[in-house]
Amino acid sequence: MSDRTARTPPRTSESGLPVKSVYVESDLPHDLAGRLGEPGSFPFTRGVYPTMYTTRPWTMRQYAGFGTAAESNARYHQLLAAGTHGLSVAFDLPTQMGFDSDAAIAHGEVGKVGVAIDSIEDMRRLFHGIPLDQVSTSMTINAPAAVLLLLYQLVAEEQGVAADRLNGTIQNDILKEYIARGTYIFPPKPSLRLVADTFAYCRAEIPRWNTISISGYHMAEAGATPAQEIAFTLANGAAYVRAAIDAGLAVDDFAPRLSFFFVARTTLLEEVAKFRAARRLWARMMRDEFGAKDPRSMMLRFHTQTAGVQLTAQQPEVNLIRVAVQALGAVLGGTQSLHTNAYDEAIALPTQKSARLALCTQQVIAHETDLTATVDPFAGSYAVEAMTDEVEAAAAELMVRVADFGGAVAAIEAGFQKREIETSAYRVAQEIDAGARVVVGVNRYALDEEEPYEPLRVDPAIEAAQAARLAELRSSRDAAAVERALSALRSAAAGTDNVLPPMREALRLRATVGEVCDALRAEWGIYRPAETF
């Protein structure tokens, strides 16, 4: 490979902010000490814990799930044996949308982008042989998040693990689905009620569980800039906090269990600045706007995943370098947990080897570099401190614009966030097409002939096998008891009672994910973008 074309140094950041070729002391804010604080103290710019990685590294999660529960279980055992600290579950599209695998709408999608979970029996297979009091589990699920959490709790009970010993996270962030991703079921108002019900249920039943992972990742993957990513994420976070307070919860009773989910791009310096700015914005908002007193309510704790949208199918091994750079940005930015993408994910589901290499990327950073020796090594950097202030200001301005609509939900109704993100995505696509933004192996340094690669493929017979298991389940359970439980769930949904206790009982009696979601659909309806709500 050779390319003699000189690259023009970037003059603007991913957020469209000017980047100087040289930063000097005068670029630092005059009140730097107050903006920084101490690690583990307000405004948490330097990290949410005093010692950060000097006493223990971040949680190394690897997002996995495909095909059947048994296949995913085997992958989880492999990851745990390789040194993963926590599991991160990917669900297939029918599960994400609250449909059973034998539903007509699920045809062709069962087990394709994650594991198919139809009932408590699948959840048992998924975590067979994994002691749920010894792992931290993150579940990337939104509209039916409460359903999957309750299945997890029921399986833990079967293992003899009390709910107060469970540790993990459900994504449960429905607002970003209306903005960027699309796996919503119900309209926003009942969806926010379900989120608030989950907050209340977990406070009483599963106190160590992180009840929501407010996600900027998917907005970033859709094209949001770093400033847009944190602005729209924190605005959504404010909407969840208001919904919980309106439901009668005190802010310090639930806010310590809120968590966030961000992307890490290859633009390392701005990503570090983004994470530091996000912590500062959240801390001030929780203290000044919502009156939080507990420091834990002001801590922006977050999981990071390296940028899937920046992976390329061309020369996929180059993605190993991209992921390493992205992971460095997440670690230098102070993430609490991290998933590193496998190099072949732009082509298909990762192979066992590529998943292991992705984990090794984190292990090398944690154990072979000196990044765990000190907290916030970029503190005081002319460039990073200036960028942190600039990203914070740009995000704060966008949050004011969201507030001017009346909050995140009203802005979603008006299509504001979606338009802003689409504009940014179009700009990036134009830059790549014009060659102004270099993507190695795509618009520069391309190979004349690609090396062959054999992707991991999901067996299409999985769908028929799942349908057969569902038929057996329905024929062997107490149908009358299931219907009574679903009726109780519908009654709770129609009223004001918390829907999770009757939902748990229905799932315990082997109601399916689709049946539970259908019971809620019957009372709450479904969301269609063309509707006015």
Side-chain angles (χ1 to χ4, degrees):
M1 290 185 293
S2 65
D3 194 304
R4 297 181 180 179
T5 304
R7 179 182 176 184
T8 302
R11 300 187 184 277
T12 58
S13 70
E14 292 282 303
S15 296
L17 303 171
V19 177
K20 295 184 177 183
S21 57
V22 176
Y23 286 85
V24 296
E25 187 175 2
S26 61
D27 290 309
L28 296 173
H30 70 277
D31 57 343
L32 178 61
R35 287 176 173 269
L36 283 177
E38 295 295 325
S41 299
F42 185 90
F44 302 103
T45 309
R46 302 200 63 191
V48 292
Y49 302 123
T51 56
M52 289 301 290
Y53 312 137
T54 62
T55 53
R56 56 166 291 181
W58 59 94
T59 299
M60 299 180 193
R61 296 190 187 279
Q62 286 305 110
Y63 185 51
F66 61 96
T68 66
E71 288 175 300
S72 294
N73 175 264
R75 176 63 62 86
Y76 296 158
H77 280 283
Q78 292 162 1
L79 289 170
L80 290 169
T84 296
H85 300 158
L87 300 175
S88 187
V89 183
F91 297 96
D92 71 358
L93 282 175
T95 305
Q96 293 180 49
M97 297 297 291
F99 293 111
D100 290 332
S101 295
D102 59 356
I105 197 171
H107 179 62
E109 293 293 340
V110 176
K112 288 292 178 67
V113 299
V115 61
I117 299 294
D118 291 315
S119 72
I120 190 171
E121 294 184 356
D122 287 325
M123 193 63 90
R124 286 189 195 115
R125 295 185 189 97
L126 187 64
F127 290 103
H128 178 70
I130 297 173
L132 297 186
D133 57 343
Q134 297 178 30
V135 298
S136 171
T137 301
S138 173
M139 292 187 277
T140 303
I141 193 73
N142 293 283
V147 183
L148 277 298
L149 173 59
L150 292 172
L151 288 173
Y152 188 85
Q153 180 189 1
L154 288 168
V155 169
E157 287 176 358
E158 292 176 352
Q159 290 187 1
V161 177
D164 62 4
R165 294 169 62 193
L166 296 177
N167 185 16
T169 304
I170 43 172
Q171 193 161 102
N172 201 24
D173 175 13
I174 198 61
L175 291 180
K176 65 95 174 48
E177 298 295 326
Y178 303 113
I179 296 171
R181 192 163 175 267
T183 63
Y184 43 71
I185 301 175
F186 318 112
K189 187 174 180 180
S191 292
L192 284 174
R193 174 194 166 178
L194 185 55
V195 171
D197 279 359
T198 305
F199 288 177
Y201 178 88
C202 286
R203 180 174 179 267
E205 299 281 339
I206 320 177
R208 295 173 61 192
W209 199 266
N210 296 314
T211 50
I212 193 168
S213 178
I214 307 162
S215 175
Y217 180 89
H218 302 94
M219 290 186 278
E221 292 285 278
T225 67
Q228 289 172 341
E229 179 190 358
I230 61 172
F232 297 152
T233 303
L234 299 191
N236 287 350
Y240 293 124
V241 172
R242 289 192 189 96
I245 291 172
D246 290 345
L249 300 176
V251 64
D252 286 326
D253 284 345
F254 67 86
R257 303 315 305 173
L258 303 180
S259 64
F260 292 80
F261 176 24
F262 294 116
V263 79
R265 302 170 180 81
T266 51
T267 43
L268 187 148
L269 294 180
E270 188 180 17
E271 291 299 283
V272 172
K274 175 192 77 177
F275 295 131
R276 300 168 88 250
R279 278 194 294 269
R280 199 153 69 200
L281 280 166
W282 181 254
R284 288 175 175 160
M285 182 173 71
M286 292 302 291
R287 183 192 67 178
D288 300 340
E289 185 174 342
F290 293 109
K293 304 296 184 186
D294 187 338
R296 297 174 303 161
S297 299
M298 307 173 207
M299 292 180 182
L300 184 141
R301 298 170 302 111
F302 63 94
H303 170 70
T304 309
Q305 181 171 336
T306 56
V309 73
Q310 291 187 321
L311 301 179
T312 63
Q314 300 93 332
Q315 301 180 42
E317 291 86 352
V318 176
N319 293 329
L320 287 164
I321 297 95
R322 293 188 178 102
V323 168
V325 172
Q326 294 160 357
L328 283 171
V331 171
L332 289 165
T335 192
Q336 274 59 73
S337 65
L338 177 62
H339 164 86
T340 34
N341 290 326
Y343 73 86
D344 51 359
E345 287 189 55
I347 303 170
L349 290 166
T351 62
Q352 182 178 343
K353 177 181 179 181
S354 66
R356 187 177 68 252
L357 287 172
L359 176 59
C360 288
T361 303
Q362 297 196 51
Q363 292 167 335
V364 168
I365 294 172
H367 301 294
E368 296 191 23
T369 76
D370 54 3
L371 293 184
T372 59
T374 188
V375 176
D376 190 25
F378 271 124
S381 158
Y382 298 156
V384 169
E385 295 295 359
M387 288 183 176
T388 300
D389 274 16
E390 289 162 358
V391 172
E392 179 184 8
E397 181 181 352
L398 282 169
M399 291 172 71
V400 169
R401 293 177 68 187
V402 171
D404 287 343
F405 281 95
V409 173
I412 289 168
E413 288 181 29
F416 170 66
Q417 299 98 319
K418 192 169 187 291
R419 284 195 305 272
E420 292 289 305
I421 291 169
E422 287 173 349
T423 299
S424 298
Y426 181 61
R427 172 178 58 84
V428 170
Q430 286 183 309
E431 291 171 357
I432 292 172
D433 289 346
R437 178 185 293 260
V438 174
V439 181
V440 173
V442 176
N443 63 2
R444 196 174 293 187
Y445 310 112
L447 293 175
D448 294 331
E449 185 176 340
E450 292 284 342
E451 297 177 0
Y453 170 79
E454 184 60 38
L456 176 69
R457 302 190 185 280
V458 174
D459 187 349
I462 285 170
E463 185 173 330
Q466 282 291 116
R469 278 192 287 269
L470 276 167
E472 181 181 352
L473 177 144
R474 292 191 181 108
S475 67
S476 62
R477 70 189 182 184
D478 185 337
V482 170
E483 180 49 42
R484 285 193 298 271
L486 291 172
S487 178
L489 174 60
R490 288 191 291 269
S491 296
T496 59
D497 290 346
N498 192 311
V499 298
L500 270 72
M503 187 187 295
R504 180 181 62 192
E505 178 62 13
L507 293 166
R508 186 185 68 79
L509 293 168
R510 296 195 295 168
T512 68
V513 170
E515 289 165 346
V516 167
C517 290
D518 283 345
L520 298 179
R521 286 184 182 99
E523 298 301 328
W524 293 345
I526 58 174
Y527 170 69
R528 293 185 175 88
E531 292 179 347
T532 300
F533 52 90

